[in-house]
Amino acid sequence: MVATKPNASIPITGKMSPRIWFYSILLTLQYGAQPLISKRFTRREVIVTSSVLICEIAKVACAIILMAKDGSIKRLAKEWTLMGSLTASGLPAAIYALQNSLLQISYRNLDSLTFSMLNQTKIFFTALFTYIILRQRQSIQQTGALFLLIMAAVLLSIGEGSSKASSTGDPEQILFYGIVPVLVASVLSGLASALCQWASQVKKHSSYLMTVEMSIVGSLCLLASTSKSPDGEAIRRHGFFYGWTPLTLIPVVANAVGGILVGLVTSLAGGVRKGFVIVSALLVTAMLQFLFEGKPPSVYCLVALPLVISSISIYQKYPYKVKKKEA
C-alpha cells in the first residue's frame, strides 16, 4: 500500500476510513493475542534469536506476496535505489536495533513496574517527533487524550508489573543503567516511528517495501550479534531449530502478520494512532487471559478501560483544525 499524500487516508475531519479501522482492529487483536499464543505454542527451549530471524523471514515473504498481488513489485524494482532505501528504512531499522539494546540493558537493572511505566513515555515522544518532522499538530483535546492514554498505559503496566517487582538497590546503577537507557529508548522509539511515517507519507515509500528493507537490516544486525551473544553460542551448540515443533510456527507467523499491520497502520494512520492500538491491545490481552486462563482482570485494568475508550473517542472527535492563514 503506497501512501499518496501526507495523511491522505485521514480526512480533514480526523475520522479514519473503514480500511484503517479494519487494519487497526486486526493489529489490536494480534498484539493482544500474541503473548498468549507465544506462551502456548513456544517451548522454553526455543532460542529467541532463531524465532526472531524466522519471523523476519516470514515478514519478508508476506510483504513480497502482497506486493505481487497488488502488482507493485515491477514498478518498485525500477524505482528502488540504495540511498532511498537507507534513508527511508535503514535509519529507522538502525534506531530500532539500538532501542532494543537499550531496553535489554534497562530491563536488567529496573524492576518490572518502573520499567513498564517509563517505557510508556514513547507515546509522548512519538507525538513530539511527529510534530517536529511532519508538522502534524495536535489539538488541545487531542493532547489531553494522549495524557489519558499514557495514564491508562501506566495503570495497565502497574497491574502487569506489580507482581514481578524487584530492585537492585543501587541508586547509581538504577539511574545510569536503568532509568536513562529506557528514557533514551523511548525517545528513539518516537523518532523511529515518526521517520517511518515520514517515509511512507512524504517520500511515498511503500509500507510493504519498508517492511522488507527493515526486516533485512534488522536480521543482519541480529546475525552480527550472534558472534558473541549467548543465543549465538546456544545455536552453535544445539542447532538453529533447537526446541522447535510445527506449532512454533503459529506465533512466528502471527508476529510476522503483526509486523505487516504495524507498517500499514503507521503508513495510513500515523505513529500516534499506532500508540492507541498498542495500549488497547493490553486490554485485549487481559480479556483473553480471563476467557482462556480464568485470570480475572486487575482493578488497574478495569480503571484503565474507560480511560482508553475516552482517549480514543476524544482524539477522533476533536482533531486539530487548520486555520485559514495556515491553510
Side-chain angles (χ1 to χ4, degrees):
M1 183 66 59
V2 183
T4 56
K5 297 179 181 179
N7 301 325
S9 299
I10 306 174
I12 198 70
T13 60
K15 295 181 180 179
M16 296 192 296
S17 69
R19 180 177 57 176
I20 298 177
W21 275 113
F22 177 69
Y23 291 147
S24 299
I25 291 171
L26 283 182
L27 181 58
T28 302
L29 294 175
Q30 185 274 325
Y31 256 94
Q34 190 67 40
L36 281 77
I37 295 174
S38 297
K39 181 179 178 181
R40 179 159 297 190
F41 297 113
T42 304
R43 296 169 61 183
R44 290 194 174 188
E45 295 83 0
V46 173
I47 301 169
V48 174
T49 297
S50 69
S51 177
V52 173
L53 284 172
I54 295 301
C55 178
E56 296 301 326
I57 292 172
K59 279 187 198 176
V60 172
C62 290
I64 291 175
I65 290 171
L66 290 170
M67 284 192 292
K69 185 177 179 181
D70 67 16
S72 61
I73 287 183
K74 291 183 179 180
R75 178 178 56 79
L76 291 174
K78 294 178 181 178
E79 297 176 355
W80 187 89
T81 62
L82 178 60
M83 186 57 66
S85 175
L86 291 175
T87 302
S89 304
L91 182 57
I95 291 174
Y96 277 129
L98 177 57
Q99 173 211 348
N100 290 332
S101 298
L102 289 170
L103 288 177
Q104 290 300 318
I105 294 171
S106 177
Y107 193 71
R108 295 191 189 102
N109 294 281
L110 282 180
D111 61 86
S112 298
L113 176 57
T114 305
F115 173 85
S116 298
M117 291 173 64
L118 291 175
N119 194 34
Q120 303 310 325
T121 58
K122 61 188 176 184
I123 300 171
F124 166 77
F125 289 114
T126 299
L128 175 63
F129 282 110
T130 300
Y131 169 71
I132 293 173
I133 295 173
L134 292 167
R135 295 297 174 185
Q136 182 176 314
R137 301 185 180 185
Q138 313 291 331
S139 66
I140 295 176
Q141 294 90 337
Q142 285 182 320
T143 303
L146 288 176
F147 278 105
L148 284 178
L149 185 70
I150 292 174
M151 287 174 57
V154 168
L155 286 171
L156 290 166
S157 299
I158 291 173
E160 178 65 22
S162 57
S163 61
K164 305 175 183 177
S166 63
S167 179
T168 61
D170 186 342
E172 288 191 5
Q173 183 173 352
I174 291 173
L175 175 61
F176 293 106
Y177 294 95
I179 294 175
V180 172
V182 72
L183 288 178
V184 173
S186 292
V187 173
L188 293 175
S189 176
L191 175 60
S193 183
L195 286 173
C196 288
Q197 186 176 341
W198 169 81
S200 61
Q201 295 184 349
V202 178
K203 301 299 288 184
K204 317 297 189 295
H205 213 66
S206 164
S207 64
Y208 297 146
L209 181 59
M210 284 186 66
T211 297
V212 172
E213 293 169 341
M214 292 182 67
S215 292
I216 291 174
V217 173
S219 297
L220 291 175
C221 293
L222 195 58
L223 284 171
S225 72
T226 57
S227 60
K228 295 184 179 180
S229 70
D231 275 9
E233 179 63 28
I235 289 172
R236 288 187 289 272
R237 182 181 302 174
H238 302 293
F240 188 83
F241 290 104
Y242 178 69
W244 280 63
T245 69
L247 294 177
T248 309
L249 288 172
I250 295 176
V252 168
V253 172
N255 204 8
V257 172
I260 299 292
L261 290 171
V262 166
L264 288 169
V265 171
T266 303
S267 171
L268 298 173
V272 175
R273 283 181 170 86
K274 186 189 71 175
F276 282 88
V277 168
I278 293 173
V279 175
S280 300
L282 298 175
L283 296 173
V284 173
T285 301
M287 180 186 69
L288 293 176
Q289 284 180 334
F290 175 66
L291 291 175
F292 294 101
E293 298 181 356
K295 180 181 177 181
S298 65
V299 175
Y300 299 104
C301 180
L302 296 176
V303 174
L305 176 60
L307 291 179
V308 172
I309 294 173
S310 299
S311 65
I312 293 174
S313 176
I314 293 170
Y315 196 88
Q316 291 298 119
K317 189 175 181 180
Y318 299 100
Y320 178 81
K321 294 182 179 180
V322 181
K323 296 179 182 179
K324 291 183 179 180
K325 292 182 179 180
E326 297 177 353

